[in-house]
Amino acid sequence: GGLEGMMAVMDRQFECIERDKRLNMFFEGTKMQAIKRSVTDYLIMTLGGPSDYIGRPLAEAHAVLQITDYHFDCFMQDLQRAMRDVGSDGETVDEATVVLELIRKKVLQVHYSK
């Protein structure tokens, strides 16, 4: 739990993403560390922890990526796997999933507007 626990989850999450052919194209390049830091800060904030998130609004940050519900689901699957891999219990994984599901419409705003 806590900030250390969340950092362990995010380290594992990005290990999963790097190997996930369904998602890794969205996270490639020299900006990977900045993306990881931004995603980590945003998720910590969303899950109720202390965060220094100062990034762009989700809709703006994802507008050019052409992601769909499929990609969001893949991200969530990798996050759930990462949480389990670092020792989170089923209830904690479920609670985080419910909270993060609430950001789907923001992430996919451009996709839904088509």
Side-chain angles (χ1 to χ4, degrees), residues 9-110:
V9 168
M10 294 314 297
D11 286 342
R12 181 69 183 122
Q13 165 80 349
F14 276 85
E15 290 171 5
C16 292
I17 287 172
E18 287 175 14
R19 290 191 301 274
D20 191 336
K21 293 181 188 326
R22 305 168 302 173
L23 293 177
N24 59 13
M25 74 291 261
F26 298 115
F27 295 90
E28 292 176 332
T30 58
K31 295 183 179 182
M32 178 60 140
Q33 287 305 314
I35 292 169
K36 181 180 177 182
R37 187 171 34 258
S38 184
V39 169
T40 300
D41 287 344
Y42 188 85
L43 293 181
I44 289 170
M45 178 186 72
T46 302
L47 294 171
S51 172
D52 296 326
Y53 182 75
I54 55 171
R56 297 179 292 166
L58 288 182
E60 179 184 329
H62 294 88
V64 299
L65 297 179
Q66 299 180 356
I67 59 175
T68 66
D69 283 293
Y70 171 76
H71 301 111
F72 189 90
D73 291 342
C74 294
F75 181 89
M76 292 300 293
Q77 288 171 0
D78 286 348
L79 181 61
Q80 292 162 346
R81 178 182 303 119
M83 291 182 72
R84 288 190 302 271
D85 287 354
V86 301
S88 297
D89 61 44
E91 185 176 337
T92 301
V93 173
D94 290 346
E95 288 174 5
T97 300
V98 168
V99 170
L100 294 176
E101 185 62 36
L102 298 174
I103 68 172
R104 179 184 294 265
K105 288 181 181 177
K106 292 178 187 176
V107 171
L108 298 176
Q109 182 177 342
V110 170

